[in-house]
Amino acid sequence: MRIISGSKRGMVLETPEGIDTRPTSDRIKETLFNMIAFDIPDCNFLDLFSGSGQMGIEALSRGAKEAVFVEKDKKALTCINHNIAKAKFEDCSKVYNEDVFSAISRLKCSDGFDIVFMDPPYNKLIEKQVLEALITRDYISDNTIIIVEASIETSFDYVSDLGYSIVKEKVYKTNKHIFLKKA
């Protein structure tokens, strides 16, 4: 796993050992970041279910102003902190070592988050619960892009009931990215 583009292009990142995390492949990460390339510079990026931290670190490498990482797994947290230090992004990173729902209620971002990326465990409808929790937060504006990585069979037919609209969808072989904004 490596940083695809930007100031730290080519840097190899660590991933947590074990099967508890599913790092996004370099090819899928590159496709995703190409789709949001113009939204990244100077953005505030929220990386939920961070795993290795690769998505937030990629955003920082491409010019994001700040990345906030939320991860409760201790092995993954060690990996995130190592990767942030290796990339020398400590000054523009915040790491929350807690459950996503706890972090959502405590997060503060005076400018609001421009992009929220989440890669929750597949096929457990956790993304629905996270979207329900995010909709009322003042750091989520009408312009915030929320990107959910999910298994290909995950249905998002409920999002309009929660106050979101799907603005884009990218389907891969086994998973997909859903791009949402407040409706």
Side-chain angles (χ1 to χ4, degrees):
M1 191 176 58
R2 63 187 174 84
I3 298 174
I4 304 295
S5 188
S7 64
K8 306 296 179 181
R9 180 182 181 177
M11 180 178 286
V12 176
L13 300 174
E14 283 188 17
T15 58
E17 291 184 21
I19 58 169
D20 293 335
T21 58
R22 291 177 281 73
T24 302
S25 74
D26 283 352
R27 177 179 284 165
I28 290 175
K29 181 171 59 171
E30 183 173 22
T31 300
L32 170 65
F33 275 91
N34 286 342
M35 294 171 74
I36 60 173
F38 297 110
D39 300 306
I40 295 292
D42 295 320
C43 82
N44 291 315
F45 192 94
L46 176 58
D47 188 353
L48 301 174
F49 307 94
S50 298
S52 65
Q54 71 162 328
M55 301 307 271
I57 292 170
E58 182 75 33
L60 291 170
S61 178
R62 292 174 181 243
K65 180 172 37 178
E66 179 181 64
V68 175
F69 303 84
V70 178
E71 179 58 63
K72 71 176 184 178
D73 182 83
K74 299 287 187 209
K75 287 183 204 170
L77 186 72
T78 299
C79 196
I80 292 167
N81 286 320
H82 173 82
N83 287 333
I84 289 170
K86 182 177 181 180
K88 297 182 174 37
F89 285 141
E90 297 96 336
D91 291 346
C92 50
S93 300
K94 291 181 186 162
V95 181
Y96 287 77
N97 176 22
E98 60 189 290
D99 175 79
V100 164
F101 298 102
S102 171
I104 286 171
S105 67
R106 291 184 346 100
L107 283 171
K108 303 245 186 298
C109 184
S110 58
D111 296 336
F113 289 105
D114 301 293
I115 300 173
V116 176
F117 176 82
M118 72 171 99
D119 184 6
Y122 284 3
N123 302 317
K124 296 186 178 185
L125 280 180
I126 295 171
E127 61 277 353
K128 182 178 181 182
Q129 297 168 1
V130 174
L131 290 169
E132 287 172 338
L134 286 175
I135 194 73
T136 60
R137 299 294 164 195
D138 59 359
Y139 51 76
I140 303 296
S141 75
D142 292 346
N143 295 318
T144 301
I145 301 166
I146 300 174
I147 305 164
V148 183
E149 185 169 318
S151 69
I152 200 161
E153 55 274 334
T154 301
S155 172
F156 286 86
D157 58 357
Y158 60 83
V159 296
S160 62
D161 295 339
L162 298 181
Y164 296 98
S165 61
I166 296 175
V167 295
K168 200 181 300 183
E169 183 175 352
K170 177 65 177 165
V171 179
Y172 309 98
K173 286 183 182 178
T174 60
N175 62 349
K176 61 185 171 183
H177 285 127
I178 303 296
F179 297 73
L180 304 163
K181 283 191 172 186
K182 283 185 175 181

